Amino acid sequence: MKTKTIILFLLFIAACNTGNKKEIIIIKETDFQKDKMLIGEYLNIYPTPHCPENILIIDSLLIIKNGDMCNDDFFYIYNKNDNKFLNSFGKRGRGPKEFLSVKMSGQYVKNENSIKIWVHNRTGFKLINITRSVEENRIVIDDEIIYKSQEFHPVLDAFLLPNINIIGKSLTRLGRLFYYDSNDNKINWIEYFPKVTNPPFDEDMIVNLYIGPTSISPDNSRIVSALELFKRIDVFSEKTDHLFSLVFDGSPENPDFYVNPNNPIPNDLMHYYYDLFLTDKFIYALNINISEAEINKDLDSGYSEIHVFCWAGKPIAIYRLNHLIYSITVDENKGYLYGLLLPDEKEFYGKIGKFKLR
């Protein structure tokens, strides 16, 4: 029995390490090796940002990025091990170390002395030294890279490659993803796909048909773009070459988004992938799986699913969570998933849920 278990484990590892030659991989829920319900616990942290937008764990730090529409600081930092509040920073404004809008890319730099995160806004990238910012009670920016081109603006997601080229997602008609070569000052666009036979009646809304999270692998070699209105995940190389797609059986072929002028966003329009978290081993994809009518309730009244795939595209696990969450981060070493929960009817502030994966 022990020998059989070892053989199965080795076969599993081999399958996850083998590159997938199929461009489209059809997924069924029964394909996942594990299907488990997870009951989350609330993290007791204080103070809590007014409108938390993203959550990220790096080493012993839990970082929450606050939304652009709130008046408090952009970044709140906690100790992951005891939930202790360490500091907050990142003022709003037009000054040299202030932001009107900012977004975490999920990319970071860690060494013996400090943890730093890359963020981006409409002008470029900034490398924030989280360790020094906490210690000195002010935002410390160690590096800054200004966009040389404005052709891919406004930027939704952007990731900085080691050669200072940029890959990302833009709020334009030009394509679903862009690759910007900073040396040649050239942009390559990946056209919008999957193609639909009934596109939005307003051409400017085409980008919203293909909304969804985008992320980059820790080694900067692969880009993952999931879709909210299609139940699919697309994987690209660092130069946006299409490697493969994970498409669920039954994924909509023509979502009813802005198709009918009298009912542009129908109540039965389904929402699927809302966030991604990538590690060296796995793709973690958050599927909220609710209709437009349900999502407009703004309450923690639903369930979420975490779909886990290895980098060869093999389905690993479905974790069914007892809360509706909208941003995730994973601590693989400790075996926990953290998520931001929608506020309930009694509390204005958002909550943080913690789920044990194993």
mmCIF file of all heavy atoms in Angstrom, residues 3 16 20-21 25 36 79 106 112 211 229 249 299 321 357:
data_model
loop_
_atom_site.group_PDB
_atom_site.id
_atom_site.type_symbol
_atom_site.label_atom_id
_atom_site.label_comp_id
_atom_site.label_asym_id
_atom_site.label_seq_id
_atom_site.Cartn_x
_atom_site.Cartn_y
_atom_site.Cartn_z
ATOM 1 N N THR A 3 3.953 1.477 -1.095
ATOM 2 C CA THR A 3 4.614 1.574 -2.397
ATOM 3 C C THR A 3 3.673 2.171 -3.438
ATOM 4 O O THR A 3 4.070 3.028 -4.238
ATOM 5 C CB THR A 3 5.075 0.185 -2.856
ATOM 6 O OG1 THR A 3 5.964 -0.352 -1.880
ATOM 7 C CG2 THR A 3 5.781 0.279 -4.201
ATOM 8 N N CYS A 16 2.490 17.305 -13.098
ATOM 9 C CA CYS A 16 2.531 18.742 -12.847
ATOM 10 C C CYS A 16 3.774 19.388 -13.425
ATOM 11 O O CYS A 16 3.786 20.588 -13.670
ATOM 12 C CB CYS A 16 2.460 19.017 -11.342
ATOM 13 S SG CYS A 16 0.769 19.011 -10.724
ATOM 14 N N ASN A 20 2.266 21.249 -20.972
ATOM 15 C CA ASN A 20 1.069 20.809 -21.660
ATOM 16 C C ASN A 20 1.102 21.304 -23.102
ATOM 17 O O ASN A 20 1.251 22.498 -23.354
ATOM 18 C CB ASN A 20 -0.177 21.336 -20.948
ATOM 19 C CG ASN A 20 -1.390 20.499 -21.288
ATOM 20 O OD1 ASN A 20 -1.727 20.340 -22.453
ATOM 21 N ND2 ASN A 20 -2.030 19.958 -20.278
ATOM 22 N N LYS A 21 0.986 20.412 -24.043
ATOM 23 C CA LYS A 21 1.072 20.762 -25.452
ATOM 24 C C LYS A 21 -0.281 21.149 -26.029
ATOM 25 O O LYS A 21 -0.351 21.670 -27.131
ATOM 26 C CB LYS A 21 1.668 19.587 -26.239
ATOM 27 C CG LYS A 21 3.109 19.265 -25.847
ATOM 28 C CD LYS A 21 3.652 18.126 -26.669
ATOM 29 C CE LYS A 21 5.095 17.806 -26.278
ATOM 30 N NZ LYS A 21 5.654 16.690 -27.070
ATOM 31 N N ILE A 25 -7.523 23.236 -22.770
ATOM 32 C CA ILE A 25 -7.751 22.119 -21.866
ATOM 33 C C ILE A 25 -9.155 22.275 -21.294
ATOM 34 O O ILE A 25 -9.452 23.257 -20.608
ATOM 35 C CB ILE A 25 -6.722 22.095 -20.723
ATOM 36 C CG1 ILE A 25 -5.293 22.073 -21.289
ATOM 37 C CG2 ILE A 25 -6.956 20.903 -19.803
ATOM 38 C CD1 ILE A 25 -4.224 22.274 -20.238
ATOM 39 N N LYS A 36 -13.143 19.985 -1.377
ATOM 40 C CA LYS A 36 -13.247 20.105 0.078
ATOM 41 C C LYS A 36 -13.941 21.402 0.473
ATOM 42 O O LYS A 36 -13.697 22.453 -0.110
ATOM 43 C CB LYS A 36 -11.842 20.061 0.692
ATOM 44 C CG LYS A 36 -11.810 20.026 2.211
ATOM 45 C CD LYS A 36 -10.370 19.919 2.701
ATOM 46 C CE LYS A 36 -10.313 19.863 4.225
ATOM 47 N NZ LYS A 36 -8.900 19.776 4.707
ATOM 48 N N ASN A 79 1.470 41.975 11.503
ATOM 49 C CA ASN A 79 2.250 40.758 11.681
ATOM 50 C C ASN A 79 1.318 39.570 11.464
ATOM 51 O O ASN A 79 0.308 39.436 12.166
ATOM 52 C CB ASN A 79 2.862 40.714 13.085
ATOM 53 C CG ASN A 79 3.787 39.527 13.279
ATOM 54 O OD1 ASN A 79 3.408 38.374 13.053
ATOM 55 N ND2 ASN A 79 5.000 39.782 13.693
ATOM 56 N N GLY A 106 1.622 42.676 -6.889
ATOM 57 C CA GLY A 106 1.913 41.354 -6.332
ATOM 58 C C GLY A 106 3.387 41.000 -6.427
ATOM 59 O O GLY A 106 3.832 40.021 -5.840
ATOM 60 N N GLU A 112 17.639 39.884 3.294
ATOM 61 C CA GLU A 112 17.812 39.703 4.732
ATOM 62 C C GLU A 112 17.352 40.908 5.532
ATOM 63 O O GLU A 112 16.948 40.781 6.691
ATOM 64 C CB GLU A 112 19.287 39.408 5.052
ATOM 65 C CG GLU A 112 19.791 38.074 4.511
ATOM 66 C CD GLU A 112 21.251 37.836 4.860
ATOM 67 O OE1 GLU A 112 21.856 38.726 5.495
ATOM 68 O OE2 GLU A 112 21.774 36.770 4.498
ATOM 69 N N ILE A 211 -13.202 41.629 -18.646
ATOM 70 C CA ILE A 211 -12.629 41.964 -17.344
ATOM 71 C C ILE A 211 -12.231 40.691 -16.609
ATOM 72 O O ILE A 211 -12.753 39.603 -16.886
ATOM 73 C CB ILE A 211 -13.616 42.782 -16.483
ATOM 74 C CG1 ILE A 211 -14.937 42.015 -16.306
ATOM 75 C CG2 ILE A 211 -13.839 44.162 -17.062
ATOM 76 C CD1 ILE A 211 -15.895 42.661 -15.353
ATOM 77 N N LEU A 229 -16.434 36.970 -16.830
ATOM 78 C CA LEU A 229 -17.692 36.635 -17.496
ATOM 79 C C LEU A 229 -17.608 35.354 -18.321
ATOM 80 O O LEU A 229 -18.612 34.911 -18.874
ATOM 81 C CB LEU A 229 -18.141 37.804 -18.382
ATOM 82 C CG LEU A 229 -18.328 39.148 -17.660
ATOM 83 C CD1 LEU A 229 -18.879 40.199 -18.609
ATOM 84 C CD2 LEU A 229 -19.228 39.009 -16.442
ATOM 85 N N ASP A 249 -16.033 23.191 -18.867
ATOM 86 C CA ASP A 249 -17.161 22.678 -19.631
ATOM 87 C C ASP A 249 -18.402 23.494 -19.248
ATOM 88 O O ASP A 249 -18.769 23.569 -18.086
ATOM 89 C CB ASP A 249 -17.376 21.200 -19.295
ATOM 90 C CG ASP A 249 -18.453 20.569 -20.137
ATOM 91 O OD1 ASP A 249 -18.674 21.046 -21.259
ATOM 92 O OD2 ASP A 249 -19.080 19.592 -19.672
ATOM 93 N N LEU A 299 -23.412 41.925 0.119
ATOM 94 C CA LEU A 299 -23.444 41.275 1.427
ATOM 95 C C LEU A 299 -22.635 39.987 1.382
ATOM 96 O O LEU A 299 -22.480 39.375 0.333
ATOM 97 C CB LEU A 299 -24.893 40.946 1.837
ATOM 98 C CG LEU A 299 -25.855 42.131 2.001
ATOM 99 C CD1 LEU A 299 -27.264 41.615 2.258
ATOM 100 C CD2 LEU A 299 -25.415 43.027 3.139
ATOM 101 N N LEU A 321 -15.568 27.671 -0.083
ATOM 102 C CA LEU A 321 -15.489 28.496 1.112
ATOM 103 C C LEU A 321 -16.890 28.901 1.574
ATOM 104 O O LEU A 321 -17.774 29.140 0.754
ATOM 105 C CB LEU A 321 -14.660 29.751 0.838
ATOM 106 C CG LEU A 321 -13.327 29.557 0.108
ATOM 107 C CD1 LEU A 321 -12.607 30.894 -0.029
ATOM 108 C CD2 LEU A 321 -12.445 28.539 0.817
ATOM 109 N N LEU A 357 -6.052 25.121 4.562
ATOM 110 C CA LEU A 357 -6.070 24.334 3.336
ATOM 111 C C LEU A 357 -5.772 22.863 3.582
ATOM 112 O O LEU A 357 -6.109 22.013 2.775
ATOM 113 C CB LEU A 357 -5.050 24.901 2.338
ATOM 114 C CG LEU A 357 -5.328 26.303 1.815
ATOM 115 C CD1 LEU A 357 -4.211 26.758 0.879
ATOM 116 C CD2 LEU A 357 -6.664 26.365 1.087
#
